């Protein structure tokens, strides 16, 4: 009998070309599908609630697949992990209705971007943060974040757009917090456009360094010109 499974996965994306399958390139999806094949003997196509760019990490990405395997739910965690490389892990597994669509039924998505505010590099954090020299004005960055909240056309913050696709998104929360020398931008939305988060962070850093006024940041949304925001920050953060 066919069932549908959901996996919650975590990974370090440094050596992968994003989540989605790509010909002759290592991706997270290809690794999970290979592990599932070794565990169940089936060729299962894995779907994700959202995709990630090359080099982006994930703490709780949701993926699903169909299976006829009689293995109990708990075996999928240990079994898939056994065959996965060390930089990808399944954290939990659930059985859901066969009609469940992991993309359409996602209520929201959340990204966080880590900025190392330091004049010196950090070898321990280089793979998980983007270093910015100079002090960032967190208050000004949060004033700019207020303009992001709500339903807006975010075309100015996107790149690699698909023709005919809507660029309107609803942002539920956007904020910047500082933890010693680490500045973290967090954003929750119904979904995101390609590179939207990384372009947003690029513009926010300019605000934080007083290279852009908050009003100028707000005008980026209003002007609705593709690629106006940025620069696009590295995926490592």
């Amino acid at each position: 009998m066919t069932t549908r499974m959901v996996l919650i996965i975590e990974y370090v994306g440094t050596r992968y070309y994003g989540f989605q399958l790509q010909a002759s390139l290592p991706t997270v999806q290809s690794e999970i599908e290979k592990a599932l094949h070794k565990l169940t003997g089936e060729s299962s196509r894995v779907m994700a609630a959202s995709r990630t760019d090359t080099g982006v990490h994930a703490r709780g990405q949701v993926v699903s697949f169909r299976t006829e395997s009689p293995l109990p739910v708990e075996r999928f965690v240990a079994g898939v992990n056994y065959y996965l490389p060390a930089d990808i892990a399944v954290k939990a597994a659930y059985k859901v209705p066969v009609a469940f669509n992991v993309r359409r039924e996602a209520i929201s998505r959340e990204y966080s971007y880590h900025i190392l505010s330091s004049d010196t590099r950090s070898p321990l954090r280089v793979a998980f943060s983007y270093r910015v020299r100079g002090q960032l004005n967190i208050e000004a960055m949060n004033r700019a974040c207020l303009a992001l909240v709500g339903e807006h056309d975010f075309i100015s913050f996107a790149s690699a757009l698909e023709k005919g696709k809507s660029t309107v998104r609803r942002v539920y929360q956007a904020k910047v917090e500082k933890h010693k020398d680490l500045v973290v931008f967090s954003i929750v939305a119904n979904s995101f456009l390609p590179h939207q988060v990384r372009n947003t962070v690029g513009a926010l850093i300019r605000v934080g360094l007083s290279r852009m006024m908050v009003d100028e940041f707000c005008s980026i949304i209003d002007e609705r010109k593709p690629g106006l925001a940025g620069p696009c920050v590295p995926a490592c953060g």
Side-chain angles (χ1 to χ4, degrees):
M1 185 172 68
T2 301
T3 60
R4 183 172 290 279
M5 298 289 298
V6 160
L7 304 179
I8 310 299
I9 61 172
E10 176 181 312
Y11 54 85
V12 176
T14 305
R15 70 184 188 95
Y16 298 104
Y17 287 77
F19 176 84
Q20 193 171 15
L21 283 174
Q22 294 192 47
S24 305
L25 293 173
T27 67
V28 177
Q29 183 179 1
S30 65
E31 293 295 339
I32 294 173
E33 291 182 358
K34 284 189 289 186
L36 283 169
H37 179 71
K38 290 175 182 177
L39 178 66
T40 66
E42 301 173 328
S43 296
S44 303
R45 177 62 71 224
V46 172
M47 295 179 60
S50 55
R51 304 169 185 173
T52 53
D53 296 336
T54 296
V56 171
H57 317 297
R59 184 176 288 123
Q61 191 168 10
V62 184
V63 304
S64 74
F65 60 95
R66 294 171 70 120
T67 180
E68 295 182 0
S69 171
L71 289 172
V73 173
E74 58 272 15
R75 285 286 303 278
F76 276 93
V77 178
V80 177
N81 280 335
Y82 179 82
Y83 293 109
L84 282 173
D87 49 9
I88 305 174
V90 175
K91 308 299 290 184
Y94 305 94
K95 186 180 289 187
V96 296
V98 176
F100 178 82
N101 186 297
V102 72
R103 289 187 64 82
R104 288 202 298 267
E105 299 191 45
I107 296 171
S108 65
R109 282 93 169 166
E110 179 175 2
Y111 279 90
S112 63
Y113 194 92
H114 294 223
I115 303 163
L116 180 63
S117 181
S118 174
D119 290 332
T120 59
R121 67 181 183 273
S122 171
L124 291 176
R125 291 188 281 187
V126 67
F128 304 102
S129 62
Y130 170 52
R131 181 165 67 101
V132 173
R133 295 179 179 87
Q135 291 298 311
L136 292 167
N137 185 333
I138 307 302
E139 182 182 350
M141 294 171 77
N142 273 314
R143 289 203 307 272
C145 283
L146 293 175
L148 298 170
V149 178
E151 189 170 272
H152 304 286
D153 186 340
F154 285 101
I155 191 170
S156 295
F157 293 83
S159 56
L161 294 169
E162 296 181 49
K163 282 188 176 181
K165 295 286 187 179
S166 173
T167 51
V168 175
R169 297 292 187 270
R170 176 171 290 278
V171 172
Y172 303 117
Q173 184 183 88
K175 62 181 179 179
V176 176
E177 296 177 303
K178 187 171 184 180
H179 309 278
K180 294 184 179 179
D181 60 352
L182 195 65
V183 175
V184 181
F185 168 67
S186 300
I187 185 167
V188 182
N190 61 343
S191 64
F192 294 96
L193 299 169
H195 296 163
Q196 180 181 339
V197 176
R198 290 164 61 193
N199 284 324
T200 300
V201 174
L204 284 173
I205 288 173
R206 290 166 64 193
V207 172
L209 294 174
S210 299
R211 296 174 184 170
M212 177 191 290
M213 302 301 292
V214 174
D215 288 348
E216 293 177 81
F217 181 91
C218 297
S219 71
I220 292 174
I221 302 175
D222 297 333
E223 290 190 39
R224 291 182 286 185
K225 293 180 181 178
L228 188 61
C232 187
V233 291
C236 59

